[in-house]
Amino acid sequence: MSNKNQDHIIVGKLGATYGIKGWLKVFSYTEQSESIFSYTPWLIKVKGEWKEIHVESWKRHGQGLVAKLEGMDIREDAQVFTNAEVAVLAEQLPALSDEEFYWRELFGMSVFTTEGYDLGKVTDILETGSNDVLVVKANLKDAFGQKERLIPFLDEQVIKLIDRTAQRIEVDWDPEF
């Protein structure tokens, strides 16, 4: 496994300042929005450098979340962080069982049909209402002329095997689609 950017995982983004005492709006990318506050410290990119920041306090505000960062006591201090991404180190995330995966682990994995046809590599995952969808960039010389395939992430039905070690996903899927 390569150590991509020291394995920073983007878990949210800071929004505009809120009030005059250094609070900021928080946009969480975690499954339960409040889970973003379970990870500490946060890493925030300021002027191209990752900076370790601790959350002093947070609360729900209307439909969203707001947080006060340590050392930010006035609006002007906090404004520096407006629109900054919030990251954590991969090791801060909970360990998963062998059957569970973080989406980021699937990026770059090779996707093969159960018959062994190489469909390409996972480049993205779309979250749709009913089920998630793997975006697979086809190989340059794809026999079916495909550039990209959208494969529903339906465990057991379509997704037959995910092998972390081999970086390989096996699917029951028609390569013509």
Side-chain angles (χ1 to χ4, degrees), residues 14 17-24 44 46 51-57 67-82:
L14 296 173
T17 54
Y18 168 74
I20 59 168
K21 296 189 179 189
W23 288 71
L24 288 155
I44 298 176
V46 183
K51 192 173 177 174
E52 205 173 274
I53 299 284
H54 291 271
V55 176
E56 191 175 294
S57 187
K68 179 163 183 338
L69 306 178
E70 213 170 69
M72 306 289 125
D73 296 316
I74 58 171
R75 168 180 254 158
E76 290 71 25
D77 291 342
Q79 279 175 329
V80 175
F81 297 103
T82 298

Side-chain angles (χ1 to χ4, degrees), residues 103-104 106-107 111 121-137 148-155 158-159 162 169 171 173 177:
W103 284 142
R104 66 183 174 81
L106 304 180
F107 290 111
V111 181
K121 291 193 183 311
V122 177
T123 57
D124 202 359
I125 294 166
L126 306 174
E127 293 185 45
T128 67
S130 51
N131 57 270
D132 297 323
V133 175
L134 293 178
V135 178
V136 179
K137 186 179 190 318
E148 186 177 82
R149 290 182 174 86
L150 301 177
I151 300 173
F153 196 91
L154 298 170
D155 212 13
V158 176
I159 307 296
I162 298 175
I169 301 172
V171 295
W173 194 251
F177 290 128

